[in-house]
Amino acid sequence: MLRMNTTLRPMSCAARRGAARALSKAAQDYAVTPYRLIAHASESQRAAWAERDLILHSEMRKHVPAALKHNGEEAFDHHLVGVQSVLRSWGAPEYMTNAALFHSIYGTEGFQGFALPLHHRPEIADLIGPRAERLAWIFCMVDRHSVDRTILAPWALDPSVYVHKPPSFFARPELGGFEIPLRTYDEWLDFLALSLADWLEQVEGTANKEVPLPVGEGLLWELGQAWGYRRHAYAKMAELLGERGPPWGRQNAPRMYAEIFAREPQSSRSFVQPLTPPMSQSAIDARNALKYAHMAYDVA
């Protein structure tokens, strides 16, 4: 079992500096950089986070090979730490920042280069806490279009709708499309915050290059097109979090969204890609199965 050790020996100065670098990677001059660096935090706060993260980051890297590349420009484990840093810069609680660090651990709709087998769920929950693990699990299982339907619904800004009856998401088709009922309105908002932080951390870097399809020939995104991925949904997430989100995200999430997307060039602002392209052969097969499930001649 993976367990947090609460009796860590004090870190050496060199180890503390290394952990601080891992907390927030120095990258190119992107709008996200101050968030990755948690620029507003004091040195003592950064040192405390580095101490706390020593085991978490070590365990994360055991399960996510550093050689894997994410859709962005840097190693996948750096992206995970980057999302953790973004949420810390927003003032998010620990269960959210822990979820961020493991948000793709089981593979996701958008990243299937690595997936920890699901029988490890209890171990991950033991390591980061059940609430954080559940958010990470949902992030990995979910069909993102089912998330976007809850966001873009006309009643999404009316809290009376989801407060009393939280919405459901659905799993990716290749996983069976099972229902994922959310437990509370707050869990829905937490998931939106995690989703938005994940994309804001990587979108500018991803948009600055061509991204090949993970299966087959051709490009997933031409230069600049990543800006348009789920464009309306991410804009709505920022709006929802600004109006209805938890206190720690109510100003920070929409402000960061505005800062990041202010960097988008005019040339890509009309491009919209509402759905995630299939990232594996199993995803292609599942979508084809749904597409061709009802033919005209099937009717009795």
Side-chain angles (χ1 to χ4, degrees), residues 258-295:
E259 291 171 1
I260 298 293
F261 275 84
R263 301 287 289 269
E264 182 182 5
Q266 288 293 332
S267 59
S268 62
R269 293 192 177 192
S270 62
F271 179 74
V272 179
Q273 184 184 50
L275 299 177
T276 306
M279 294 290 183
S280 66
Q281 189 59 51
S282 62
I284 293 173
D285 293 343
R287 292 192 187 190
N288 282 337
L290 291 171
K291 180 179 179 180
Y292 296 109
H294 303 288
M295 307 300 289

mmCIF file of all heavy atoms in Angstrom, residues 258-295:
data_model
loop_
_atom_site.group_PDB
_atom_site.id
_atom_site.type_symbol
_atom_site.label_atom_id
_atom_site.label_comp_id
_atom_site.label_asym_id
_atom_site.label_seq_id
_atom_site.Cartn_x
_atom_site.Cartn_y
_atom_site.Cartn_z
ATOM 1 N N ALA A 258 -8.949 34.851 -18.265
ATOM 2 C CA ALA A 258 -8.832 36.061 -19.084
ATOM 3 C C ALA A 258 -7.379 36.331 -19.461
ATOM 4 O O ALA A 258 -7.079 36.704 -20.606
ATOM 5 C CB ALA A 258 -9.429 37.252 -18.340
ATOM 6 N N GLU A 259 -6.465 36.139 -18.521
ATOM 7 C CA GLU A 259 -5.046 36.389 -18.795
ATOM 8 C C GLU A 259 -4.492 35.411 -19.831
ATOM 9 O O GLU A 259 -3.740 35.809 -20.728
ATOM 10 C CB GLU A 259 -4.243 36.277 -17.501
ATOM 11 C CG GLU A 259 -4.510 37.394 -16.505
ATOM 12 C CD GLU A 259 -3.872 37.146 -15.148
ATOM 13 O OE1 GLU A 259 -3.192 36.110 -14.981
ATOM 14 O OE2 GLU A 259 -4.064 37.987 -14.251
ATOM 15 N N ILE A 260 -4.864 34.142 -19.707
ATOM 16 C CA ILE A 260 -4.346 33.141 -20.640
ATOM 17 C C ILE A 260 -4.899 33.378 -22.037
ATOM 18 O O ILE A 260 -4.156 33.429 -23.029
ATOM 19 C CB ILE A 260 -4.699 31.716 -20.165
ATOM 20 C CG1 ILE A 260 -4.048 31.407 -18.807
ATOM 21 C CG2 ILE A 260 -4.301 30.682 -21.222
ATOM 22 C CD1 ILE A 260 -2.555 31.318 -18.813
ATOM 23 N N PHE A 261 -6.214 33.550 -22.145
ATOM 24 C CA PHE A 261 -6.821 33.656 -23.471
ATOM 25 C C PHE A 261 -6.612 35.024 -24.111
ATOM 26 O O PHE A 261 -6.840 35.175 -25.320
ATOM 27 C CB PHE A 261 -8.295 33.256 -23.418
ATOM 28 C CG PHE A 261 -8.486 31.774 -23.552
ATOM 29 C CD1 PHE A 261 -8.382 30.948 -22.443
ATOM 30 C CD2 PHE A 261 -8.711 31.194 -24.785
ATOM 31 C CE1 PHE A 261 -8.510 29.570 -22.560
ATOM 32 C CE2 PHE A 261 -8.849 29.817 -24.922
ATOM 33 C CZ PHE A 261 -8.746 28.999 -23.803
ATOM 34 N N ALA A 262 -6.145 35.994 -23.348
ATOM 35 C CA ALA A 262 -5.741 37.261 -23.955
ATOM 36 C C ALA A 262 -4.527 37.075 -24.858
ATOM 37 O O ALA A 262 -4.264 37.908 -25.733
ATOM 38 C CB ALA A 262 -5.429 38.289 -22.871
ATOM 39 N N ARG A 263 -3.799 35.984 -24.659
ATOM 40 C CA ARG A 263 -2.608 35.705 -25.466
ATOM 41 C C ARG A 263 -2.938 35.012 -26.787
ATOM 42 O O ARG A 263 -2.059 34.823 -27.622
ATOM 43 C CB ARG A 263 -1.638 34.822 -24.659
ATOM 44 C CG ARG A 263 -1.176 35.419 -23.338
ATOM 45 C CD ARG A 263 -0.181 36.547 -23.538
ATOM 46 N NE ARG A 263 1.098 36.044 -24.005
ATOM 47 C CZ ARG A 263 2.106 35.698 -23.189
ATOM 48 N NH1 ARG A 263 1.963 35.800 -21.877
ATOM 49 N NH2 ARG A 263 3.243 35.259 -23.684
ATOM 50 N N GLU A 264 -4.180 34.614 -26.969
ATOM 51 C CA GLU A 264 -4.533 33.916 -28.204
ATOM 52 C C GLU A 264 -4.476 34.867 -29.393
ATOM 53 O O GLU A 264 -5.059 35.948 -29.362
ATOM 54 C CB GLU A 264 -5.935 33.316 -28.111
ATOM 55 C CG GLU A 264 -6.324 32.549 -29.365
ATOM 56 C CD GLU A 264 -7.728 31.973 -29.335
ATOM 57 O OE1 GLU A 264 -8.463 32.248 -28.375
ATOM 58 O OE2 GLU A 264 -8.085 31.246 -30.287
ATOM 59 N N PRO A 265 -3.811 34.479 -30.474
ATOM 60 C CA PRO A 265 -3.780 35.338 -31.661
ATOM 61 C C PRO A 265 -5.144 35.400 -32.342
ATOM 62 O O PRO A 265 -5.966 34.484 -32.217
ATOM 63 C CB PRO A 265 -2.738 34.662 -32.556
ATOM 64 C CG PRO A 265 -2.695 33.243 -32.102
ATOM 65 C CD PRO A 265 -3.002 33.264 -30.635
ATOM 66 N N GLN A 266 -5.372 36.471 -33.052
ATOM 67 C CA GLN A 266 -6.642 36.643 -33.750
ATOM 68 C C GLN A 266 -6.895 35.524 -34.752
ATOM 69 O O GLN A 266 -8.038 35.140 -34.996
ATOM 70 C CB GLN A 266 -6.655 37.997 -34.473
ATOM 71 C CG GLN A 266 -6.773 39.200 -33.555
ATOM 72 C CD GLN A 266 -8.118 39.270 -32.851
ATOM 73 O OE1 GLN A 266 -9.130 38.793 -33.358
ATOM 74 N NE2 GLN A 266 -8.125 39.863 -31.660
ATOM 75 N N SER A 267 -5.836 34.976 -35.312
ATOM 76 C CA SER A 267 -5.973 33.992 -36.386
ATOM 77 C C SER A 267 -6.690 32.718 -35.972
ATOM 78 O O SER A 267 -7.242 32.009 -36.818
ATOM 79 C CB SER A 267 -4.592 33.638 -36.943
ATOM 80 O OG SER A 267 -3.761 33.121 -35.915
ATOM 81 N N SER A 268 -6.701 32.400 -34.672
ATOM 82 C CA SER A 268 -7.328 31.144 -34.244
ATOM 83 C C SER A 268 -8.638 31.349 -33.495
ATOM 84 O O SER A 268 -9.282 30.374 -33.102
ATOM 85 C CB SER A 268 -6.360 30.359 -33.348
ATOM 86 O OG SER A 268 -6.055 31.092 -32.175
ATOM 87 N N ARG A 269 -9.064 32.576 -33.318
ATOM 88 C CA ARG A 269 -10.198 32.834 -32.426
ATOM 89 C C ARG A 269 -11.539 32.385 -32.980
ATOM 90 O O ARG A 269 -12.520 32.308 -32.236
ATOM 91 C CB ARG A 269 -10.238 34.314 -32.042
ATOM 92 C CG ARG A 269 -9.045 34.698 -31.179
ATOM 93 C CD ARG A 269 -9.170 36.058 -30.546
ATOM 94 N NE ARG A 269 -8.013 36.323 -29.677
ATOM 95 C CZ ARG A 269 -7.931 37.309 -28.813
ATOM 96 N NH1 ARG A 269 -8.953 38.152 -28.682
ATOM 97 N NH2 ARG A 269 -6.849 37.471 -28.072
ATOM 98 N N SER A 270 -11.596 32.069 -34.250
ATOM 99 C CA SER A 270 -12.847 31.558 -34.813
ATOM 100 C C SER A 270 -12.894 30.034 -34.836
ATOM 101 O O SER A 270 -13.925 29.448 -35.176
ATOM 102 C CB SER A 270 -13.042 32.094 -36.237
ATOM 103 O OG SER A 270 -11.992 31.646 -37.081
ATOM 104 N N PHE A 271 -11.793 29.394 -34.448
ATOM 105 C CA PHE A 271 -11.747 27.932 -34.490
ATOM 106 C C PHE A 271 -12.354 27.358 -33.217
ATOM 107 O O PHE A 271 -11.997 27.757 -32.107
ATOM 108 C CB PHE A 271 -10.297 27.449 -34.631
ATOM 109 C CG PHE A 271 -10.169 25.945 -34.667
ATOM 110 C CD1 PHE A 271 -10.530 25.229 -35.795
ATOM 111 C CD2 PHE A 271 -9.705 25.250 -33.560
ATOM 112 C CE1 PHE A 271 -10.424 23.847 -35.834
ATOM 113 C CE2 PHE A 271 -9.590 23.864 -33.580
ATOM 114 C CZ PHE A 271 -9.952 23.164 -34.723
ATOM 115 N N VAL A 272 -13.286 26.421 -33.382
ATOM 116 C CA VAL A 272 -13.954 25.782 -32.248
ATOM 117 C C VAL A 272 -13.955 24.274 -32.471
ATOM 118 O O VAL A 272 -14.358 23.799 -33.536
ATOM 119 C CB VAL A 272 -15.409 26.275 -32.083
ATOM 120 C CG1 VAL A 272 -16.087 25.563 -30.914
ATOM 121 C CG2 VAL A 272 -15.448 27.782 -31.889
ATOM 122 N N GLN A 273 -13.504 23.542 -31.474
ATOM 123 C CA GLN A 273 -13.532 22.078 -31.519
ATOM 124 C C GLN A 273 -14.241 21.596 -30.252
ATOM 125 O O GLN A 273 -13.636 21.477 -29.198
ATOM 126 C CB GLN A 273 -12.117 21.507 -31.589
ATOM 127 C CG GLN A 273 -12.084 19.995 -31.742
ATOM 128 C CD GLN A 273 -10.665 19.463 -31.719
ATOM 129 O OE1 GLN A 273 -9.887 19.786 -30.830
ATOM 130 N NE2 GLN A 273 -10.317 18.651 -32.704
ATOM 131 N N PRO A 274 -15.538 21.330 -30.323
ATOM 132 C CA PRO A 274 -16.298 21.020 -29.110
ATOM 133 C C PRO A 274 -16.051 19.636 -28.539
ATOM 134 O O PRO A 274 -16.270 19.417 -27.346
ATOM 135 C CB PRO A 274 -17.752 21.173 -29.558
ATOM 136 C CG PRO A 274 -17.721 20.934 -31.033
ATOM 137 C CD PRO A 274 -16.399 21.448 -31.512
ATOM 138 N N LEU A 275 -15.616 18.689 -29.373
ATOM 139 C CA LEU A 275 -15.453 17.311 -28.920
ATOM 140 C C LEU A 275 -13.984 16.917 -28.912
ATOM 141 O O LEU A 275 -13.198 17.377 -29.739
ATOM 142 C CB LEU A 275 -16.226 16.351 -29.820
ATOM 143 C CG LEU A 275 -17.740 16.544 -29.898
ATOM 144 C CD1 LEU A 275 -18.335 15.556 -30.890
ATOM 145 C CD2 LEU A 275 -18.378 16.388 -28.530
ATOM 146 N N THR A 276 -13.638 16.025 -27.989
ATOM 147 C CA THR A 276 -12.289 15.475 -27.947
ATOM 148 C C THR A 276 -12.141 14.431 -29.048
ATOM 149 O O THR A 276 -12.927 13.478 -29.100
ATOM 150 C CB THR A 276 -12.017 14.802 -26.592
ATOM 151 O OG1 THR A 276 -12.301 15.724 -25.541
ATOM 152 C CG2 THR A 276 -10.564 14.344 -26.495
ATOM 153 N N PRO A 277 -11.169 14.573 -29.934
ATOM 154 C CA PRO A 277 -10.958 13.525 -30.939
ATOM 155 C C PRO A 277 -10.577 12.210 -30.260
ATOM 156 O O PRO A 277 -9.997 12.209 -29.170
ATOM 157 C CB PRO A 277 -9.787 14.069 -31.771
ATOM 158 C CG PRO A 277 -9.759 15.534 -31.491
ATOM 159 C CD PRO A 277 -10.240 15.688 -30.085
ATOM 160 N N PRO A 278 -10.909 11.072 -30.861
ATOM 161 C CA PRO A 278 -10.538 9.789 -30.247
ATOM 162 C C PRO A 278 -9.023 9.651 -30.147
ATOM 163 O O PRO A 278 -8.301 9.900 -31.103
ATOM 164 C CB PRO A 278 -11.142 8.750 -31.189
ATOM 165 C CG PRO A 278 -11.392 9.470 -32.472
ATOM 166 C CD PRO A 278 -11.639 10.896 -32.122
ATOM 167 N N MET A 279 -8.566 9.254 -28.962
ATOM 168 C CA MET A 279 -7.138 9.212 -28.680
ATOM 169 C C MET A 279 -6.558 7.800 -28.687
ATOM 170 O O MET A 279 -5.394 7.613 -28.360
ATOM 171 C CB MET A 279 -6.868 9.864 -27.316
ATOM 172 C CG MET A 279 -7.176 11.339 -27.282
ATOM 173 S SD MET A 279 -5.995 12.274 -28.267
ATOM 174 C CE MET A 279 -6.543 13.945 -27.963
ATOM 175 N N SER A 280 -7.368 6.814 -29.009
ATOM 176 C CA SER A 280 -6.886 5.436 -29.051
ATOM 177 C C SER A 280 -7.756 4.657 -30.022
ATOM 178 O O SER A 280 -8.859 5.099 -30.392
ATOM 179 C CB SER A 280 -6.952 4.797 -27.660
ATOM 180 O OG SER A 280 -8.298 4.667 -27.243
ATOM 181 N N GLN A 281 -7.279 3.485 -30.423
ATOM 182 C CA GLN A 281 -8.073 2.658 -31.319
ATOM 183 C C GLN A 281 -9.355 2.204 -30.640
ATOM 184 O O GLN A 281 -10.412 2.105 -31.283
ATOM 185 C CB GLN A 281 -7.266 1.445 -31.784
ATOM 186 C CG GLN A 281 -7.951 0.643 -32.881
ATOM 187 C CD GLN A 281 -8.243 1.474 -34.122
ATOM 188 O OE1 GLN A 281 -7.352 2.146 -34.642
ATOM 189 N NE2 GLN A 281 -9.485 1.439 -34.604
ATOM 190 N N SER A 282 -9.297 1.948 -29.336
ATOM 191 C CA SER A 282 -10.514 1.532 -28.632
ATOM 192 C C SER A 282 -11.547 2.652 -28.616
ATOM 193 O O SER A 282 -12.755 2.394 -28.707
ATOM 194 C CB SER A 282 -10.185 1.089 -27.206
ATOM 195 O OG SER A 282 -9.631 2.151 -26.452
ATOM 196 N N ALA A 283 -11.092 3.906 -28.518
ATOM 197 C CA ALA A 283 -12.023 5.034 -28.567
ATOM 198 C C ALA A 283 -12.645 5.159 -29.954
ATOM 199 O O ALA A 283 -13.848 5.436 -30.087
ATOM 200 C CB ALA A 283 -11.305 6.322 -28.187
ATOM 201 N N ILE A 284 -11.847 4.956 -30.993
ATOM 202 C CA ILE A 284 -12.374 4.982 -32.360
ATOM 203 C C ILE A 284 -13.420 3.887 -32.544
ATOM 204 O O ILE A 284 -14.516 4.121 -33.077
ATOM 205 C CB ILE A 284 -11.230 4.812 -33.377
ATOM 206 C CG1 ILE A 284 -10.306 6.029 -33.346
ATOM 207 C CG2 ILE A 284 -11.784 4.597 -34.788
ATOM 208 C CD1 ILE A 284 -9.057 5.875 -34.195
ATOM 209 N N ASP A 285 -13.101 2.684 -32.082
ATOM 210 C CA ASP A 285 -14.025 1.559 -32.239
ATOM 211 C C ASP A 285 -15.334 1.804 -31.490
ATOM 212 O O ASP A 285 -16.424 1.495 -31.997
ATOM 213 C CB ASP A 285 -13.375 0.271 -31.734
ATOM 214 C CG ASP A 285 -12.200 -0.171 -32.599
ATOM 215 O OD1 ASP A 285 -12.083 0.317 -33.742
ATOM 216 O OD2 ASP A 285 -11.392 -0.993 -32.122
ATOM 217 N N ALA A 286 -15.234 2.373 -30.276
ATOM 218 C CA ALA A 286 -16.442 2.630 -29.485
ATOM 219 C C ALA A 286 -17.321 3.671 -30.157
ATOM 220 O O ALA A 286 -18.552 3.533 -30.204
ATOM 221 C CB ALA A 286 -16.060 3.078 -28.078
ATOM 222 N N ARG A 287 -16.711 4.714 -30.695
ATOM 223 C CA ARG A 287 -17.504 5.746 -31.363
ATOM 224 C C ARG A 287 -18.147 5.207 -32.638
ATOM 225 O O ARG A 287 -19.293 5.545 -32.960
ATOM 226 C CB ARG A 287 -16.630 6.961 -31.665
ATOM 227 C CG ARG A 287 -16.195 7.687 -30.404
ATOM 228 C CD ARG A 287 -15.591 9.033 -30.698
ATOM 229 N NE ARG A 287 -15.028 9.624 -29.489
ATOM 230 C CZ ARG A 287 -14.600 10.874 -29.397
ATOM 231 N NH1 ARG A 287 -14.686 11.678 -30.447
ATOM 232 N NH2 ARG A 287 -14.090 11.336 -28.272
ATOM 233 N N ASN A 288 -17.424 4.371 -33.359
ATOM 234 C CA ASN A 288 -18.011 3.770 -34.557
ATOM 235 C C ASN A 288 -19.168 2.844 -34.198
ATOM 236 O O ASN A 288 -20.178 2.784 -34.912
ATOM 237 C CB ASN A 288 -16.945 3.008 -35.340
ATOM 238 C CG ASN A 288 -16.048 3.935 -36.144
ATOM 239 O OD1 ASN A 288 -16.443 5.055 -36.472
ATOM 240 N ND2 ASN A 288 -14.855 3.476 -36.462
ATOM 241 N N ALA A 289 -19.023 2.122 -33.080
ATOM 242 C CA ALA A 289 -20.109 1.241 -32.645
ATOM 243 C C ALA A 289 -21.374 2.043 -32.364
ATOM 244 O O ALA A 289 -22.485 1.635 -32.735
ATOM 245 C CB ALA A 289 -19.685 0.460 -31.402
ATOM 246 N N LEU A 290 -21.220 3.199 -31.721
ATOM 247 C CA LEU A 290 -22.375 4.053 -31.450
ATOM 248 C C LEU A 290 -22.921 4.671 -32.734
ATOM 249 O O LEU A 290 -24.139 4.756 -32.938
ATOM 250 C CB LEU A 290 -21.982 5.151 -30.464
ATOM 251 C CG LEU A 290 -21.690 4.702 -29.028
ATOM 252 C CD1 LEU A 290 -21.111 5.858 -28.218
ATOM 253 C CD2 LEU A 290 -22.957 4.178 -28.361
ATOM 254 N N LYS A 291 -22.015 5.097 -33.599
ATOM 255 C CA LYS A 291 -22.427 5.762 -34.837
ATOM 256 C C LYS A 291 -23.270 4.847 -35.715
ATOM 257 O O LYS A 291 -24.249 5.279 -36.340
ATOM 258 C CB LYS A 291 -21.184 6.228 -35.594
ATOM 259 C CG LYS A 291 -21.474 6.934 -36.908
ATOM 260 C CD LYS A 291 -20.174 7.388 -37.566
ATOM 261 C CE LYS A 291 -20.432 8.076 -38.902
ATOM 262 N NZ LYS A 291 -19.157 8.516 -39.541
ATOM 263 N N TYR A 292 -22.886 3.567 -35.757
ATOM 264 C CA TYR A 292 -23.564 2.640 -36.661
ATOM 265 C C TYR A 292 -24.507 1.688 -35.927
ATOM 266 O O TYR A 292 -24.882 0.643 -36.454
ATOM 267 C CB TYR A 292 -22.524 1.841 -37.448
ATOM 268 C CG TYR A 292 -21.683 2.722 -38.350
ATOM 269 C CD1 TYR A 292 -20.344 2.976 -38.050
ATOM 270 C CD2 TYR A 292 -22.239 3.328 -39.471
ATOM 271 C CE1 TYR A 292 -19.576 3.799 -38.863
ATOM 272 C CE2 TYR A 292 -21.482 4.153 -40.285
ATOM 273 C CZ TYR A 292 -20.147 4.385 -39.979
ATOM 274 O OH TYR A 292 -19.396 5.202 -40.779
ATOM 275 N N ALA A 293 -24.914 2.071 -34.724
ATOM 276 C CA ALA A 293 -25.780 1.191 -33.936
ATOM 277 C C ALA A 293 -27.214 1.164 -34.450
ATOM 278 O O ALA A 293 -27.936 0.193 -34.230
ATOM 279 C CB ALA A 293 -25.761 1.621 -32.472
ATOM 280 N N HIS A 294 -27.636 2.226 -35.105
ATOM 281 C CA HIS A 294 -29.034 2.315 -35.540
ATOM 282 C C HIS A 294 -29.076 2.652 -37.026
ATOM 283 O O HIS A 294 -28.918 3.804 -37.421
ATOM 284 C CB HIS A 294 -29.780 3.376 -34.724
ATOM 285 C CG HIS A 294 -29.738 3.128 -33.246
ATOM 286 N ND1 HIS A 294 -30.442 2.115 -32.641
ATOM 287 C CD2 HIS A 294 -29.045 3.748 -32.258
ATOM 288 C CE1 HIS A 294 -30.204 2.119 -31.343
ATOM 289 N NE2 HIS A 294 -29.355 3.094 -31.081
ATOM 290 N N MET A 295 -29.291 1.643 -37.821
ATOM 291 C CA MET A 295 -29.394 1.816 -39.261
ATOM 292 C C MET A 295 -30.865 1.753 -39.671
ATOM 293 O O MET A 295 -31.703 1.162 -38.973
ATOM 294 C CB MET A 295 -28.604 0.727 -39.989
ATOM 295 C CG MET A 295 -27.151 0.607 -39.531
ATOM 296 S SD MET A 295 -26.186 2.124 -39.769
ATOM 297 C CE MET A 295 -26.045 2.145 -41.554
#
